[in-house]
Structures are given as structure tokens and as C-alpha cells.
Amino acid sequence: MTNLHAAARRCIDATDPAEKLRLSHAAWSAMQSGELRPDRAAPLPEPIAAPGRPGRPQLVSARQVPQRGLGSAEGRAALVHAVAHIEFNAINLAWDAVYRFRGMPDDYYRDWASCAHDEARHFALLSARLAELGHAYGDFDAHNGLWEMAEKTAHSDTARMALVPRVLEARGLDVTPGMIERLRHAGDERTIAVLEVILREEVAHVAAGTRWYRWCCERDGIDPFEHFFGLLRDYLGVSLRGPFNRPARLEAGFVEAELDRLTALAVAS
């Protein structure tokens, strides 16, 4: 197989986590070696559908996912599971960015295939930590917010780049330092070590979203600043949660004016 889009679809469709990870790493390696390439003559993508996933975890609304303290091993396992579920979804999201949006520059596909490879590695790290805590992926309920946004933005590469990496995934930059601090109080250095790797590497993923969002805006003659806040309003309403990790978001390509406006909107909501 030389068609990158078909390989991406295979990664998305895989239901077994171990197989999804294997396919993701293999596709990234094949792309690096030149064996996989985007095919401008490939058939158009099929309508977006649910990605491959195991029978568990049970998917519930975000409000139904219980909040647990970190003072117990069970509570820490629930936190690790929640982050693992985000990373599992992020594998599918990165490959869908490769599969769904055609005619983009080669560097676009390289960025998102690289992200998928990273997310697969993150999921493996978290799964190993879950095992150390006596659990496995699927042991706790989870929500489907990330993929629901993928469905809502399937028609627009611009909206996808703005709202998945720059909003939903960027939220991880904001909340992970607080998680690390709470885990430090609980003495859980092993989980901290995993989260520090993820936090460091997720900055580059959000930066890829910034880079390609702005590329899409330039292609279409759109002002990226105002359009971003228009997309926030149209897709997410006025409810925004802060505070924002300003240093990490600046490193990921946000500008001061964006962060000032985000902060003002979060306060107002």
C-alpha cells in the first residue's frame, strides 16, 4: 500500500488498541521512508463515522463522568484513564486530519501523521501506568467530546484546525500543570513523569494546529484572528473555561492579543 489516505483510514478503523498503535507506528515509519505518500487522485473520503474503538470504555456524557480525588490509587487510576482516553481519541483525530482533508501540502500530512505517532506512544505510556495501578483501558466510563467535535468540523479543514488542536487539545496545556501539582502532593512521581512527557510534546501538536489554521485562513483570504473567535462563538457558544497556560500557548503559536481576548471571554462567561 502506497496511499497514505488509505493507511490513515486503516488506523482509524482499527478497534483493538494494540492494533491501532501498531498500524499508527507502521504508517509513520512508512511515511518517513517514502513508502506512503498522499495521493491526489485517491477517491474522496467517506462521510465521517465513529472510529474503531474497543467495546469498553462505556461512553457517557461529560457530566456523567465522576470526579475522583487523587488521594487514593483508584482516584489516580481514574485520572490516568481519562487522559488515556483523550490520547486514544487524539490518535483517531490526527489520522482523520490526514484522511479527510485532501489536496493539502505534504508538510501538513507529515505533521498530522507525526502527531498520530506521538499520541499512540502517549497512549502506550498511560496504559502501562494504568496497569501498574491495577487497571486497564476501559475500566472507567469516558465521554466522547473530542470525536463529537471532529464530526462537527468534518466539512471544513479550517474549522477542524481551529477547534480541535487550538481549543480542545490546547485545554490539556492549561490543566495538566495543575494535575501534576496535585499528583506531586499525592507522591505519585511515576504518573507525573508520564504527564510531563505528554505536556511537553502536546505543545508541538497545538502548534501544528495553529500553523495549519493560519495556512487555511491565508488560502481563503480570511482574517485568522477574528475568524477564530467567530468559530468559538458558532461552535461553543459563550462558555469558556480558564485560566490559560499563557507560556505554553504562546509557544504553541497563540499571540498575546488572542490570549487577552480568551481571558476576557472566560471571565465574562
Side-chain angles (χ1 to χ4, degrees), residues 2-9 11-12 24 27-32 36-45 91 93-118 157 160-161 205 208-209 211-212 215-216 219:
T2 60
N3 183 345
L4 175 63
H5 305 297
R9 184 60 190 258
C11 294
I12 296 167
S24 294
W28 170 237
S29 178
M31 189 178 184
Q32 285 184 298
L36 279 179
R37 298 179 300 278
D39 182 359
R40 300 190 184 280
L44 291 175
I91 301 168
L93 285 160
W95 284 125
D96 192 71
V98 171
Y99 172 75
R100 189 149 310 282
F101 302 115
R102 306 296 170 89
M104 301 291 278
D106 286 354
D107 284 347
Y108 167 89
Y109 298 112
R110 180 171 293 277
D111 275 350
W112 292 112
S114 174
C115 285
H117 168 72
D118 287 347
D157 51 8
R160 174 70 68 84
M161 293 297 106
H205 300 174
R211 182 162 54 254
W212 292 109
W215 184 92
C216 290
R219 175 196 63 194

Side-chain angles (χ1 to χ4, degrees), residues 112-136:
W112 292 112
S114 174
C115 285
H117 168 72
D118 287 347
E119 307 292 17
R121 186 163 39 78
H122 296 169
F123 180 81
L125 289 170
L126 292 158
S127 294
R129 181 61 187 137
L130 263 180
E132 292 173 351
L133 292 166
H135 287 277

Side-chain angles (χ1 to χ4, degrees), residues 45-48 96 100-102 148-161 163 219-220 227 231 234-235:
E46 296 178 10
I48 196 165
D96 192 71
R100 189 149 310 282
F101 302 115
R102 306 296 170 89
E148 288 169 0
M149 184 59 78
E151 293 173 339
K152 292 175 183 176
T153 58
H155 65 289
S156 169
D157 51 8
T158 309
R160 174 70 68 84
M161 293 297 106
L163 295 171
R219 175 196 63 194
D220 298 337
H227 192 61
L231 289 169
D234 293 345
Y235 283 82

Side-chain angles (χ1 to χ4, degrees), residues 72-74 76-78 80-81 123-137 139-140 187-195:
S72 67
E74 184 83 0
R76 294 193 293 278
V80 173
H81 187 278
F123 180 81
L125 289 170
L126 292 158
S127 294
R129 181 61 187 137
L130 263 180
E132 292 173 351
L133 292 166
H135 287 277
Y137 181 58
D139 284 358
F140 300 90
D188 190 344
E189 294 297 328
R190 293 182 69 81
T191 301
I192 288 171
V194 174
L195 292 183

